[in-house]
Amino acid sequence: MGNRFQVKDRFADGAQYIDGRLRPGTSGRSHTVVDPATGEEVLTYELAGPADVDEAVAAAKRAFPAWSAATPGERSDALHRLAAVLAEQAEDFAYAESLQCGKPLKLTTGFDVPGTIDNTAFFAGAARHLQGQAAGEYSGDHTSYVRREAIGVVGSIAPWNYPLQMAAWKILPAVAAGNTIVLKPAELTPLTSLMFAQAAQEAGIPDGVINIVTGAGRDAGEHLVGHPDVVMTSFTGSTAVGKRVAEIATATVKRLHLELGGKAPFVVFDDADVEAAAHGAIAASLINTGQDCTAATRAYVQRPLYEAFTARVAELMETVRLGDPFAPTTDLGPLVSHAQRDRVAAFVDRARAYATVVTGGEIPGGDLAEGAYYRPTLITGAAQDSEVVQSEIFGPVLVALPFDTDDEGLALANDTPYGLAASAWTRDLYRAGRATRELKAGCVWVNDHIPIISEMPHGGYKASGFGKDMSSYSFEEYTQVKHVMYDNTAVAAKDWHRTIFGDR
Ligand code: NAD
């Protein structure tokens, strides 16, 4: 990668992007972005506080009348230009995303960045396709139609696991529908959200339409959720924080969209292709070092295949190459931070008391000792109600459990509070059909696990939240529908007025 720009130079003016310019936050507190592969400082910046949130919301409010009045075609053109700017700057985005998250470059260049460009292109098209219901004379005396309108200033909060994609998923449907937005990225990973907003400016999206404030959750985050001029909160993050966000949003009567945690099951029936399932389990449990809300975390394997599956997964896990995210041979980078690595290690250490760590379960030393690395880990022998089966670990840890009947496998798969994603592995059409109907999750894959596409909705069931990111379904969150009704009679004393005037 030839194009490693200087992060400190690029954000010398600060890491808050309000009304089209970078400036420092005014909370009086700073945060240091650390490269989790080395432990070295990337950037120290001043965090946003409530006053910065107020300015960002005011800028978004000022920008709303003109942006919401732009034609769908004008908004679409701007988003097409944004897709082109992102494509021109793809190397910079991949570099910054790998640097702040520790993601292997092959993940950022092969998934995060092209996914974001495709998402932008999708919403450029979808911006021209916002639809209301057909108009008609439903009462006989009136013509009714439905207008689909932008709602105003959206306040969004994103996590650190896919900072660029999360920024895009929040910003794109909101602005495509004519809203303006204030996005708060996670403190650990502000860089690519800021770059996305700068790219939007280069593409000609007016200042104030997209604002980025990076501050602490309890400070800037809660202030944004409770702000009286923010009409909607869209939050992606943990279920615990989501509950707090919901309380504040509800108290201020806001629309709410929650994309929360996951604990995705991976159900392997006894007619499955074991080799395909084992490969799938490795890729789906280790993607983004397991810090993926849809990652495969619980492999339920029907008894006849259980031994073969776990042996093959352990064998393949040991071939995964940990290392420098920028080396082309690296399969797995570090976790996002040393704190997250220690949290994952603590889950596995506690599990040793009641389960078997088949492979992994170790912080590597040597060249990797300074980074937040953790070895890919397979755990067996854990009970269904144990912590590693029920709680979101958010690291490179897969738990495998056997099952006997199809009924039992599907029941165990549904037996957590979460419902974001799931997969079924089988060559039997009827088993696959039953699994897709009965698995309680917002996305169910058959014979695969992870792929996402811009055209299809992403969002949870149960404690994984409600509302959809991506696809035209996301417009349901970011627009409001208005019933407009015209009288067609031109009669002063209308028939229904008898409810007041009686027989006069
Ligand atoms: P988190 O909940 O700790 O933080 C998410 C965001 O919320 C951050 O920006 C944080 O600063 C902010 N925040 C924290 N406390 C807040 C408060 N009191 N008020 C307002 N904002 C607050 O989550 P994380 O650790 O950054 O990310 C990992 C979590 O995100 C996992 O649970 C994962 O499953 C979830 N996630 C879900 C999806 C999805 O689509 N469902 C996608 C990605 C990540």
Side-chain angles (χ1 to χ4, degrees):
M1 163 148 281
N3 195 9
R4 295 194 179 187
F5 63 87
Q6 293 300 314
V7 172
K8 287 181 181 165
D9 292 346
R10 177 141 183 180
F11 298 107
D13 291 337
Q16 312 300 333
Y17 185 84
I18 298 171
D19 209 7
R21 69 182 185 92
L22 286 173
R23 28 154 285 194
T26 62
S27 68
R29 286 185 296 135
S30 62
H31 182 86
T32 298
V33 178
V34 171
D35 174 356
T38 60
E40 287 169 15
E41 176 193 341
V42 172
L43 176 74
T44 296
Y45 68 96
E46 302 303 314
L47 286 162
D52 305 300
V53 172
D54 288 346
E55 280 197 35
V57 172
K61 195 176 172 186
R62 282 193 301 276
F64 178 72
W67 183 247
S68 59
T71 64
E74 286 163 347
R75 289 198 292 269
S76 172
D77 285 350
L79 290 174
H80 276 301
R81 290 193 300 271
L82 174 57
V85 174
L86 294 172
E88 276 162 27
Q89 299 177 5
E91 275 199 16
D92 284 355
F93 274 95
Y95 167 65
E97 193 76 334
S98 285
L99 188 66
Q100 66 180 353
C101 302
K103 292 169 191 268
L105 204 53
K106 67 182 178 192
L107 180 65
T108 52
T109 55
F111 182 62
D112 299 77
V113 175
T116 300
I117 296 168
D118 186 68
N119 223 239
T120 309
F122 170 79
F123 278 106
R128 303 187 79 152
H129 223 266
L130 279 164
Q131 288 176 342
Q133 268 180 342
E137 285 70 46
Y138 302 95
S139 81
D141 286 347
H142 304 86
T143 296
S144 284
Y145 62 84
V146 167
R147 285 175 55 85
R148 189 175 281 278
E149 298 179 345
I151 52 178
V153 177
V154 175
S156 292
I157 297 184
W160 44 254
N161 61 337
Y162 290 102
L164 175 60
Q165 295 201 79
M166 292 301 106
W169 288 15
K170 298 295 176 209
I171 292 170
L172 291 168
V175 303
N179 304 289
T180 57
I181 185 166
V182 178
L183 170 78
K184 193 199 89 59
E187 304 89 298
L188 267 57
T189 54
L191 304 183
T192 45
S193 308
L194 294 164
M195 290 166 65
F196 189 92
Q198 290 178 309
Q201 187 181 48
E202 274 187 55
I205 294 178
D207 293 349
V209 172
I210 301 170
N211 305 275
I212 311 290
V213 290
T214 308
R218 284 207 168 273
D219 186 23
E222 293 198 6
H223 193 70
L224 179 61
V225 178
H227 201 292
D229 289 336
V230 171
V231 295
M232 170 181 170
T233 296
S234 177
F235 171 82
T236 298
S238 61
T239 299
V241 175
K243 287 178 182 169
R244 173 79 185 130
V245 165
E247 277 172 17
I248 303 170
T250 305
T252 50
V253 196
K254 286 191 171 57
R255 270 180 181 235
L256 185 58
H257 170 209
L258 294 175
E259 297 275 0
L260 307 177
K263 186 75 182 174
F266 183 103
V267 186
V268 184
F269 292 97
D270 60 12
D271 65 304
D273 176 341
V274 182
E275 190 62 13
H279 273 88
I282 296 291
S285 64
L286 299 184
I287 185 164
N288 206 32
T289 317
Q291 303 160 118
D292 184 309
C293 48
T294 62
T297 57
R298 300 177 286 139
Y300 294 100
V301 188
Q302 212 154 17
R303 193 89 54 186
L305 295 189
Y306 183 70
E307 289 304 324
F309 174 86
T310 50
R312 186 67 175 132
V313 166
E315 186 183 18
L316 286 173
M317 263 189 183
E318 283 159 18
T319 67
V320 170
R321 298 162 298 181
L322 273 68
D324 173 6
F326 295 102
T329 49
T330 293
D331 302 321
L332 203 68
L335 287 116
V336 75
S337 67
H338 291 73
Q340 182 65 11
R341 190 268 317 268
D342 293 346
R343 190 175 168 274
V344 170
F347 268 108
V348 176
D349 289 343
R350 288 192 294 276
R352 292 180 208 280
Y354 58 82
T356 303
V357 177
V358 179
T359 185
E362 182 186 89
I363 294 173
D367 290 351
L368 303 180
E370 298 303 315
Y373 290 91
Y374 197 73
R375 290 220 184 276
T377 301
L378 175 66
I379 294 177
T380 59
Q384 175 67 14
D385 63 357
S386 63
E387 184 188 49
V388 283
V389 177
Q390 293 293 324
S391 302
E392 189 176 38
I393 299 173
F394 231 51
V397 180
L398 178 67
V399 185
L401 298 97
F403 68 91
D404 290 306
T405 65
D406 290 18
D407 286 353
E408 184 193 3
L410 293 171
L412 291 170
N414 283 331
D415 175 33
T416 73
Y418 298 108
L420 189 59
S423 63
W425 295 74
T426 178
R427 287 180 272 205
D428 180 325
L429 189 62
Y430 296 98
R431 266 180 160 163
R434 180 179 175 199
T436 59
R437 289 191 300 277
E438 294 188 14
L439 287 167
K440 301 281 180 264
C443 175
V444 178
W445 293 277
V446 176
N447 294 326
D448 209 339
H449 190 122
I450 286 298
I452 48 173
I453 42 174
S454 299
E455 290 82 354
M456 286 290 141
H458 170 91
Y461 281 22
K462 296 158 62 181
S464 293
F466 48 81
K468 298 295 175 194
D469 280 320
M470 304 207 296
S471 82
S472 296
Y473 286 92
S474 62
F475 287 138
E476 298 301 329
E477 319 302 329
Y478 293 101
T479 56
Q480 55 198 346
V481 292
K482 178 186 283 175
H483 172 207
V484 179
M485 200 175 201
Y486 280 72
D487 168 58
N488 292 336
T489 64
V491 173
K494 298 188 197 320
D495 189 38
W496 74 269
H497 292 178
R498 69 181 180 280
T499 56
I500 298 293
F501 296 111
D503 55 1
R504 273 181 286 157

